[in-house]
Amino acid sequence: MTLAILYSRALSGVNAPLVTVETHIANGLPSFTIVGLPDTEVKESKDRVRAALQNAHFKIPAQRITINLAPADLPKESGRFDLPIALGILAATGQIPNDKLDCYEWAGELALTGELRPIHGALAMTYSASQLGRSFVLPQQNAAEAALVKNATIYAAKSLLQICAHLNGREPLPIYQHPSQQNIEADNPIYPDFDEVKGQSHAKRALEIAAAGGHSVLMIGPPGTGKSMLAARFSGILPPMTEAEALESAAIQSLCYGNFDIANWKRRPFRSPHHTASGIALVGGGSQPRPGEISLAMHGVLFLDELAEFDRKVLEVLREPLESGKITISRAARQAEFPAQFQLIAAMNPCPCGYLGHPSGKCHCTPDQVARYRGRISGPLLDRIDMQIEVPAVPQEELMRQQTTGEKSSTIRQRVERTHHRQLERQGKTNNRLSVKEIDRYCALDAASENLLKQAISRLNLSARAYHRILKLARTIADLTGSEKINSQHIAEAIQFRRLDKH
């Protein structure tokens, strides 16, 4: 046999397209050629493979070796193709059986000793392989992460020799089962509790509505009023992650960190980039596009503290993903799309010194200074943030009270879950994701509510986008109260959460 065919996976965004690894051995001067749009890491594979085969005491034919990675127009990167290339050479030269290779998919970087090293994106590749009914063979360090894909058949190996022994039938590899998988499924993630935040009942109410309907929030208040504490506890009142959401979130993290920490399984991500972060850090990028902070916050929370301190151009990149729930990164050679369904929680001071409206009277900022400070955030971006609320200083009596009187996160989460379930039953998505046609269908108003909203539009000069966001907010408020119809009280409360529209 001079030809062998194996299967592996490339990575394109969060997708893992199939790659066919064809190995051909022909007579001629000794050479080792890899074709099929390989990058530098893949081209260097021939040296790692040659050394690994020699150190494992396999024969390398003194002939013309050609490796084709198909399809040819799909870019191939990283060392994950080392393993299928090495096995292809062994199969083409008859050193391992060739009849069972098409039942598997392979990925793994080879050390010069023949040991297997971990790879990026194991979760996405395992999921794609399982959809075709193939078993997946990968390094042992990636096995626990890959086992998160239900119904996937996984074989974990330490070295090339171990895999060859499996294929020759001498020492079959067991199907991988993570020992603590049952405990992982049973455990509930632990988050900081809302009852630790004193006062701020208005802000807590806003965050409950935001959690129930998937809305974004901007908190405005002086330093030390609890904005960061509230944001850090927001994940604890969100509905539990579904299996599909957890898998998608873990797959994105796997692309960046190599291994997904299974201790974070079904734990909603909380990303809090510093205000010096660049636009590429937020949306992702690179010659081989990788996800940024907004994608790493998938199905979780993106917290932007000191929002006005971010570069204005950096903040503008949030506009597209806030609307569409995805981000497309285009480069000269390729394009990658990453999901970006996150909840934006932002915080900022009311003025440059931070103490505008504070009881201490510390603020001496002029109206022009305040206007310039708030002008760092563009109107189109503010328009896309559903809720803009004040977080005032906590009264001294409330702050010094020994016992907290607020609700626990678990109590709030129960209401959020009921509301979330009601939305899914009615329309199959959260209220924040409603289209214009769906808003007309599910957010119909009675005469009193419609008249109130007309007055608000006229007085506040609201845009069409703000109008639709108020309707979606009112729909969530009505759902929290168990009301089938939106009334004027729901509209009035929704308008109150658009603080910056009044300035």
Side-chain angles (χ1 to χ4, degrees):
M1 174 65 70
T2 59
L3 179 68
I5 298 176
L6 291 89
Y7 299 103
S8 187
R9 294 275 165 182
L11 290 173
S12 178
V14 293
N15 299 314
L18 183 68
V19 172
T20 303
V21 182
E22 301 171 333
T23 304
H24 183 250
I25 310 293
N27 293 327
L29 292 175
S31 64
F32 195 144
T33 306
I34 300 176
V35 297
L37 208 57
D39 73 353
T40 304
E41 289 173 304
V42 181
K43 289 177 181 177
E44 292 172 346
S45 176
K46 58 186 178 184
D47 297 313
R48 292 191 297 270
V49 168
R50 189 187 301 276
L53 291 176
Q54 288 176 340
N55 288 320
H57 304 292
F58 287 108
K59 295 179 181 178
I60 301 177
Q63 295 173 285
R64 184 181 180 87
I65 302 172
T66 303
I67 309 292
N68 180 38
L69 306 177
D73 60 346
L74 178 69
K76 321 297 187 309
E77 48 86 22
S78 94
R80 74 176 68 90
F81 298 107
D82 290 3
L83 178 59
I85 288 172
L87 292 174
I89 294 172
L90 295 178
T93 55
Q95 297 179 72
I96 59 173
N98 197 14
D99 55 341
K100 297 180 181 179
L101 296 179
D102 58 354
C103 300
Y104 302 90
E105 292 189 13
W106 318 82
E109 180 182 331
L110 285 173
L112 301 186
T113 60
E115 300 292 314
L116 286 177
R117 288 179 172 153
I119 55 173
H120 292 270
L123 201 56
M125 290 188 285
T126 304
Y127 177 76
S128 298
S130 68
Q131 297 297 102
L132 294 180
R134 292 197 185 103
S135 303
F136 200 73
V137 183
L138 75 174
Q140 192 169 46
Q141 296 96 318
N142 295 114
E145 169 194 343
L148 296 173
V149 180
K150 286 189 173 180
N151 303 319
T153 304
I154 300 161
Y155 293 96
K158 294 181 179 179
S159 66
L160 177 63
L161 280 173
Q162 203 174 21
I163 293 173
C164 293
H166 169 77
L167 293 172
N168 285 316
R170 293 197 304 270
E171 294 182 24
L173 289 169
I175 295 176
Y176 182 85
Q177 294 289 340
H178 194 278
S180 60
Q181 187 69 22
Q182 298 299 324
N183 296 332
I184 292 171
E185 294 293 334
D187 289 345
N188 291 318
I190 298 174
Y191 302 98
D193 205 289
F194 253 85
D195 69 352
E196 297 171 349
V197 182
K198 295 182 179 181
Q200 305 300 2
S201 57
H202 179 67
K204 291 178 181 178
R205 167 68 175 170
L207 291 178
E208 179 180 342
I209 295 169
H215 305 288
S216 51
V217 182
L218 170 60
M219 297 181 285
I220 306 166
T225 57
K227 301 187 295 294
S228 297
M229 281 188 72
L230 288 163
R233 284 150 181 78
F234 182 72
S235 299
I237 63 172
L238 292 172
M241 296 181 83
T242 64
E243 193 78 25
E245 288 175 341
L247 196 60
E248 194 169 18
S249 175
I252 293 173
Q253 294 179 54
S254 169
L255 293 177
C256 281
Y257 305 125
N259 277 338
F260 170 71
D261 186 355
I262 59 174
N264 292 327
W265 177 243
K266 289 194 173 181
R267 181 181 180 88
R268 291 196 180 270
F270 182 85
R271 307 294 300 183
S272 181
H274 193 260
H275 60 76
T276 55
S278 66
I280 291 177
L282 281 186
V283 302
S287 56
Q288 301 294 338
R290 293 289 177 89
E293 292 290 339
I294 62 174
S295 293
L296 290 170
M298 183 70 178
H299 299 306
V301 178
L302 177 67
F303 176 49
L304 300 183
D305 199 6
E306 304 295 346
L307 186 69
E309 300 300 331
F310 280 81
D311 186 273
R312 181 166 176 150
K313 292 181 180 179
V314 171
L315 291 180
E316 292 306 297
V317 303
L318 294 172
R319 287 162 57 174
E320 179 194 341
L322 279 173
E323 286 288 320
S324 64
K326 61 184 179 182
I327 185 72
T328 302
I329 301 170
S330 298
R331 294 292 179 265
R334 62 186 298 189
Q335 188 179 73
E337 184 177 282
F338 295 101
Q341 295 180 22
F342 60 92
Q343 279 195 253
L344 175 65
I345 306 295
M348 63 178 284
N349 295 329
C351 67
C353 76
Y355 289 97
L356 180 66
H358 195 276
S360 66
K362 292 181 181 179
C363 180
H364 297 290
C365 299
T366 66
D368 285 345
Q369 288 175 322
V370 174
R372 281 197 299 272
Y373 179 75
R374 295 187 178 183
R376 296 178 185 177
I377 305 167
S378 71
L381 177 60
L382 281 176
D383 224 17
R384 287 169 168 82
I385 299 177
D386 300 324
M387 310 172 76
Q388 304 144 11
I389 62 171
E390 284 187 337
V391 184
V394 181
Q396 186 176 356
E397 300 78 17
E398 181 72 30
L399 190 62
M400 299 184 68
R401 187 177 297 172
Q402 294 298 316
Q403 293 183 342
T404 56
T405 57
E407 289 183 299
K408 295 184 73 66
S409 292
S410 56
T411 305
I412 301 173
R413 186 171 61 247
Q414 289 175 4
R415 294 197 296 267
V416 169
E417 286 182 35
R418 286 196 298 268
T419 306
H420 184 74
H421 183 67
R422 185 176 293 117
Q423 294 168 34
L424 295 183
E425 281 191 333
R426 182 180 61 232
Q427 65 223 15
K429 62 179 75 171
T430 58
N431 290 332
N432 184 52
R433 297 291 173 189
L434 291 175
S435 66
V436 175
K437 286 185 177 180
E438 290 169 333
I439 291 173
D440 293 338
R441 179 178 178 183
Y442 299 114
C443 303
L445 303 179
D446 57 26
S449 303
E450 190 171 336
N451 184 51
L452 177 61
L453 188 51
K454 283 180 180 177
Q455 293 179 36
I457 293 172
S458 176
R459 292 182 181 179
L460 303 178
N461 196 24
L462 297 177
S463 67
R465 182 179 286 113
Y467 162 73
H468 286 135
R469 291 188 182 276
I470 287 174
L471 283 176
K472 290 188 279 189
L473 269 178
R475 179 68 269 173
T476 301
I477 294 168
D479 289 338
L480 273 169
T481 61
S483 174
E484 290 296 325
K485 296 183 179 181
I486 300 174
N487 60 40
S488 55
Q489 290 181 337
H490 305 143
I491 290 291
E493 185 175 5
I495 294 171
Q496 290 301 312
F497 289 125
R498 300 284 301 184
R499 180 188 183 280
L500 294 184
D501 289 331
K502 305 173 187 178
H503 293 271

